Amino acid sequence: DPTDQPDQADRTDRAETPPVPAATTKLRFNFRFQPWSEVLNWFADQAGYSLVLDVAPTGTFNYTDAREYTPAEAIDLLNSVLMTKGYTLVLRDRMLLLVNLEDSIPPSLVSEVPTEQLEGRGVFELLSTRFQLENLSVEEAQDEIEELLGPQGSMIPLPKARQLVVVETGGRLRMIRDVLEKAELSRDPAQHELKWFELHSVAPEEVVALLRQMFEIPEGGNAVPDGSLRFATDPAGLRLLAAGRPDRLEQVA
């Protein structure tokens, strides 16, 4: 009945002010070859978000699941597929944006999350995290995690503050966090021991050559790249001085 339909003003108000998603909102996916524009509009409407969509991905979404998802879990599921097409959904307050990963993503659109809060974020949620470095230099940290970055990832070095800002998905950021924590620990002087090794039947130079071969240290070097072991010969006698983690010193012994 036309008399039961809301007037144009009511429809406009509802479109501009979507409902706030309830904490108990649950969604189910039942799509068969549905165009992405329809899928994303449906999701934004159901979750109470305002969708910003310039160009939708090509192709269709084909997914059926009896499980119920919260809006945050649903975004993560959609992103797991969208990223294979070069897109990602970014949520800012109640605004849901579809971003083309080939374009430069404005930093203001990516939520910054402290390292201690990464556990609760989505595997495919695009986030920014600031890592504070204590024992590693910014350049060393970049080298350590460069291979872990995906096509959507980026790094912003802050050498004076000894910080590294990384934009990546939640899953990769947790992996990067763990790698940097281990690298930092390996460089922590408090975790290192100092030990002299007495040499009786072999020259110090021979021992050094063997250690370089064992630990894949370039010619002329005297330290493992991750800083977990350093060594030097005693010019006054047949001794080798080694400093490093206990497990590395056991290998030397």
Side-chain angles (χ1 to χ4, degrees), residues 139-192:
E139 293 77 12
E140 289 171 330
Q142 286 180 284
D143 291 341
E144 197 75 29
I145 66 172
E146 186 175 9
E147 297 296 326
L148 300 178
L149 293 181
Q152 68 283 335
S154 64
M155 293 186 285
I156 303 173
L158 303 173
K160 292 184 179 179
R162 294 184 67 88
Q163 293 178 339
L164 186 63
V165 180
V166 182
V167 176
E168 251 299 355
T169 58
R172 287 182 182 265
L173 282 172
R174 287 191 284 271
M175 186 189 308
I176 288 169
R177 175 202 59 195
D178 295 344
V179 167
L180 287 179
E181 285 180 354
K182 290 181 180 178
E184 284 272 305
L185 186 61
S186 71
R187 292 294 182 91
D188 186 359
Q191 303 295 323
H192 289 188

Side-chain angles (χ1 to χ4, degrees), residues 53-148:
L53 175 66
D54 293 330
V55 180
T58 58
T60 58
F61 182 59
N62 185 36
Y63 185 78
T64 300
D65 190 349
R67 174 187 166 187
E68 293 184 331
Y69 293 83
T70 66
E73 292 171 337
I75 290 177
D76 209 38
L77 186 148
L78 290 169
N79 275 340
S80 69
V81 181
L82 284 169
M83 282 188 173
T84 67
K85 296 179 172 292
Y87 290 85
T88 188
L89 289 169
V90 176
L91 183 64
R92 292 294 291 174
D93 299 323
R94 292 168 59 196
M95 183 169 61
L96 185 66
L97 301 96
L98 181 70
V99 178
N100 189 327
L101 293 174
E102 292 184 355
D103 301 331
S104 178
I105 302 175
S108 59
L109 294 182
V110 182
S111 299
E112 183 168 343
V113 178
T115 55
E116 60 270 17
Q117 295 180 15
L118 285 174
E119 289 301 333
R121 308 307 290 251
V123 175
F124 297 96
E125 183 180 3
L126 196 63
L127 304 168
S128 172
T129 297
R130 188 184 303 261
F131 294 97
Q132 183 66 52
L133 306 171
E134 301 296 336
N135 304 311
L136 292 172
S137 69
V138 171
E139 293 77 12
E140 289 171 330
Q142 286 180 284
D143 291 341
E144 197 75 29
I145 66 172
E146 186 175 9
E147 297 296 326
L148 300 178

